Amino acid sequence: MPTQHRAIQSRQALIRSAAETFLEKGVPAAGMVEISRRARLSKGALYFHFTSKDDLTLAVRDAALEALQELEDSFTRSPQPLTTAVRDFTVELFGRVESDAVLRAGLRLRPETAPGLGIYALEQRWYALFLDKAVTCGTGGPAGPHASDTEPRRTAQLLTSIVVGLLHLGSEDGTWWDEEAIVGLWALLPSAPGRIPAAVPAPAQLPAAG
């Protein structure tokens, strides 16, 4: 195996090991020796790739952001109107969160520890993403893509609140991330844009890992 490929694999193994350790113990209690042992690598190999635990924590953050960006890019490419596309995005997001320890750990990092993945950053990120989809593809109601400026904004706010709320609830009870539960929730949404209520406030914070 080429040296460069082995180095990439080692780095990925250390990031995954750090994420798993952060989820189990939290960032403050996670030790570098434990992380290297879990990855089946030497402490020297760990410090070859990462100079400190802060450096490794940021690497977990960056890997989580990369995974999140992949999901968001798929959402952007979807030809579906907003409500359907957000439903599919939500199913994919929480399926990935449950199966990917790095993404799950990244979403649990404290905002001051790993900027960019805090609940308010995600709220702003997804609102902008959903609003752009609402403007270009329509909200999914009878008004279609030519609805007034107010309606796409309200619809994007509502859907953002739902996704952020599910993220918060599912961090304590994984049944909120079940595909059947998400699809069932979406079936309760009003089909006509004019009936969509104002958005509710997002939860204050997710349980933190670091």
Side-chain angles (χ1 to χ4, degrees):
M1 182 184 298
T3 301
Q4 184 178 8
H5 185 57
R6 284 200 304 270
I8 292 172
Q9 284 192 327
S10 295
R11 179 181 174 86
Q12 291 173 339
L14 287 165
I15 292 173
R16 185 170 57 254
S17 174
E20 292 170 351
T21 307
F22 293 168
L23 287 168
E24 287 182 9
K25 298 189 171 183
V27 175
M32 296 291 272
V33 172
E34 180 181 5
I35 290 170
S36 62
R37 285 176 178 169
R38 184 189 287 262
R40 298 183 179 181
L41 293 167
S42 68
K43 187 177 178 181
L46 189 157
Y47 281 105
F48 173 79
H49 291 282
F50 304 103
T51 59
S52 65
K53 188 161 67 175
D54 287 344
D55 188 24
L56 183 52
T57 302
L58 288 175
V60 171
R61 188 278 308 266
D62 290 344
L65 279 171
E66 184 177 343
L68 191 61
Q69 186 65 57
E70 290 176 5
L71 294 168
E72 292 170 348
D73 289 346
S74 179
F75 168 84
T76 300
R77 292 192 299 269
S78 171
Q80 300 292 339
L82 179 66
T83 52
T84 303
V86 175
R87 181 200 64 193
D88 295 345
F89 168 77
T90 306
V91 170
E92 291 295 324
L93 170 65
F94 296 136
R96 182 72 177 267
V97 170
E98 287 189 308
S99 65
D100 186 343
V102 175
L103 178 56
R104 191 162 66 255
L107 290 171
R108 285 178 174 266
L109 291 173
R110 296 183 185 277
E112 63 271 21
T113 302
L117 283 172
I119 203 73
Y120 294 116
L122 292 174
E123 181 182 21
Q124 294 172 3
R125 181 186 183 106
W126 290 338
Y127 171 69
L129 190 70
F130 298 166
L131 179 59
D132 183 66
K133 171 71 75 173
V135 171
T136 58
C137 298
T139 61
H146 303 295
S148 69
D149 181 66
T150 301
E151 200 53 60
R153 290 181 182 277
R154 289 180 62 195
T155 306
Q157 286 174 343
L158 172 66
L159 294 173
T160 301
S161 296
I162 292 173
V163 178
V164 171
L166 288 172
L167 178 62
H168 178 76
L169 291 167
S171 64
E172 295 291 341
D173 179 0
T175 59
W176 288 98
W177 292 349
D178 181 74
E179 179 176 354
E180 185 176 346
I182 294 169
V183 172
L185 176 61
W186 246 254
L188 298 175
L189 294 178
S191 59
R195 295 171 53 204
I196 292 178
V200 296
Q205 185 57 274
L206 291 173

